[in-house]
Amino acid sequence: MNKKVLITGVTGQVGSQLADYILENTDLDVVGMMRWQEPMDNLYHLSDRINRKDRISIYYADLNDFSAMARMLTEIRPNFISHLAAQSYPKTSFNIPIETLQTNIIGTANLLEAIRQLKELNDYNPVVHICSSSEVYGRAKPGTPLSEETAFHGASPYSISKIGTDYLGRFYGEAYGIRTFVTRMGTHSGPRRSDVFFESTVAKQIALIEAGLQEPFIRVGNLSSTRTFQDARDAVRAYFLLLLESEKGKIPCGEYFNIAGEEVFQLPDVINIMLEMSTVSGIQVVTDQDRMRPIDADYQMFDNAKIKQAIQWKPEIPARKMFKDLLDHWRDEISKGKIPLNR
């Protein structure tokens, strides 16, 4: 019987791409956790395999239901868990702060506590990846690249929720010997990136303009941020390699890692790159106050030294290819008649 990887948040960009990576590169089985009402857009290409239970299946559960977490783990007993489910939109978190904190902190605690109880009762001890975020560093001072020891500074309810998630992953590893590790991924993108994120809404708007569905104006929020970008397909490879190294006992329980791209951009540069790829000329950029956050994380430059010491990994997909793939993703979606909201 194949070993199993449980992916919470499997319907998201990163969760679905991690499922793709495992199915294409290993003989492990994938169990994707999702809430029953979530959209399946990112998994439609796997529908036939899911229906046939060809190394991938779906388990319906909700992080906020402890009994569901306990039942899921008892029934599945996955060897590996990659916990990616979250309310993951920083700007949205200003509007729904309580839900963000509940899902990301209490939801993670529900999962880890269910693992702890099973470990004590049944000697069950899977490898557990806890997905934090580079947003934990928040309003960091520009200058030195951010290392894992840089102080946290929450700049949104989302980043505060991920600080809690981060500490929970480390605590359950250190206190109870659960084989957890925590990742803080920097800005990541590529196909399937939600349109609530900066570079994806830019790509979406360009695709809408090319299709004649939007006037030739791109509406954006704060453009003062400097950050690294990486393709999510590179990041999931790092996630998987960390799972394997942790299983071998080479990563201490509760260890934590930055995972970031190494190509640096100011946000206006990202817009210009994608405008150069557009089939329409003369597109203008307009500041939209509704897209502004009350407080923002303007400096996101990271030190990857620690993760490179733990695994043989580095980003491989060039940022320009990532932006092109993202733009093509939106062109393809719109060509199918899927007209996205203007957000």
Side-chain angles (χ1 to χ4, degrees):
M1 181 179 294
N2 292 347
K3 291 183 177 180
K4 299 175 185 176
V5 183
L6 170 66
I7 302 174
T8 73
V10 73
T11 60
Q13 178 202 16
V14 178
S16 63
Q17 289 179 344
L18 178 58
D20 286 343
Y21 181 87
I22 293 169
L23 293 172
E24 292 169 7
N25 295 280
T26 80
D27 62 358
L28 301 174
D29 289 344
V30 173
V31 179
M33 190 199 95
M34 61 178 285
R35 293 170 296 179
W36 70 268
Q37 73 273 34
E38 286 181 44
M40 288 282 294
D41 300 57
N42 292 334
L43 294 178
Y44 276 134
H45 65 291
L46 295 174
S47 292
D48 181 58
R49 295 190 69 167
I50 293 170
N51 289 339
R52 292 186 288 109
K53 290 186 169 53
D54 177 17
R55 292 185 49 220
I56 181 168
S57 60
I58 296 296
Y59 196 101
Y60 295 108
D62 192 310
L63 287 175
N64 289 312
D65 186 336
F66 176 80
S67 65
M69 294 298 98
R71 181 172 60 253
M72 175 180 66
L73 295 172
T74 301
E75 292 180 5
I76 298 172
R77 293 185 68 88
N79 307 88
F80 304 94
I81 299 172
S82 188
H83 175 42
L84 307 179
Q87 193 303 94
S88 59
Y89 308 146
K91 186 177 184 300
T92 301
S93 73
F94 289 100
N95 297 324
I96 52 169
I98 306 306
E99 179 182 341
T100 300
L101 297 170
Q102 172 71 36
T103 299
N104 296 0
I105 298 178
I106 302 304
T108 299
N110 282 337
L111 176 65
L112 288 168
E113 184 62 16
I115 294 169
R116 182 190 72 81
Q117 292 185 16
L118 280 174
K119 180 176 184 289
E120 292 183 355
L121 292 173
N122 299 311
D123 196 30
Y124 171 63
N125 194 14
V127 175
V128 186
H129 164 215
I130 299 297
C131 184
S132 179
S133 168
S134 63
E135 289 271 338
V136 297
Y137 302 117
R139 289 182 64 85
K141 294 181 180 179
T144 305
L146 307 175
S147 76
E148 285 81 357
E149 306 311 316
T150 298
F152 293 163
H153 185 165
S156 66
Y158 169 76
S159 65
I160 293 167
S161 76
K162 281 300 187 178
I163 290 171
T165 298
D166 198 294
Y167 280 133
L168 282 167
R170 293 157 65 182
F171 168 73
Y172 272 83
E174 294 169 355
Y176 302 118
I178 297 173
R179 293 183 292 174
T180 63
F181 64 88
V182 177
T183 60
R184 302 168 187 161
M185 180 158 52
T187 301
H188 55 283
S189 197
R192 308 179 199 168
R193 179 71 156 164
S194 171
D195 64 342
V196 298
F197 294 103
F198 163 74
E199 75 289 344
S200 191
T201 193
V202 169
K204 176 194 71 176
Q205 291 183 71
I206 291 174
L208 285 169
I209 292 167
E210 290 177 345
L213 298 170
Q214 179 172 319
E215 294 297 315
F217 297 94
I218 295 174
R219 293 171 177 82
V220 297
N222 174 33
L223 295 180
S224 64
S225 177
T226 299
R227 61 184 62 183
T228 61
F229 278 84
Q230 69 177 323
D231 196 294
R233 292 166 291 189
D234 275 332
V236 300
R237 181 166 48 85
Y239 286 174
F240 184 73
L241 292 174
L242 287 169
L243 286 169
L244 294 183
E245 291 301 291
S246 185
E247 183 188 36
K248 297 173 184 175
K250 295 184 178 181
I251 295 177
C253 296
E255 193 61 280
Y256 43 99
F257 301 93
N258 287 340
I259 304 177
E262 297 176 348
E263 294 185 74
V264 181
F265 299 91
Q266 294 181 330
L267 297 191
D269 298 332
V270 175
I271 296 175
N272 290 334
I273 288 170
M274 285 194 279
L275 286 178
E276 291 172 1
M277 298 175 180
S278 177
T279 59
V280 176
S281 60
I283 297 175
Q284 299 182 44
V285 178
V286 178
T287 300
D288 182 349
Q289 292 300 318
D290 289 340
R291 297 172 185 265
M292 295 289 191
R293 302 184 197 178
I295 183 174
D296 215 335
D298 293 333
Y299 178 79
Q300 296 190 2
M301 304 278 291
F302 304 97
D303 182 345
N304 272 338
K306 185 175 180 180
I307 191 170
K308 288 184 175 180
Q309 292 173 356
I311 58 174
Q312 294 295 314
W313 174 87
K314 66 178 180 179
E316 294 179 351
I317 300 173
R320 286 181 179 270
K321 173 175 171 49
M322 175 190 71
F323 293 136
K324 177 64 162 55
D325 289 350
L326 176 60
L327 181 55
D328 286 343
H329 165 78
W330 281 114
R331 287 166 170 160
D332 183 60
E333 290 292 289
I334 293 167
S335 72
K336 296 174 183 175
K338 298 179 180 179
I339 310 304
L341 295 176
N342 187 359
R343 60 178 181 173

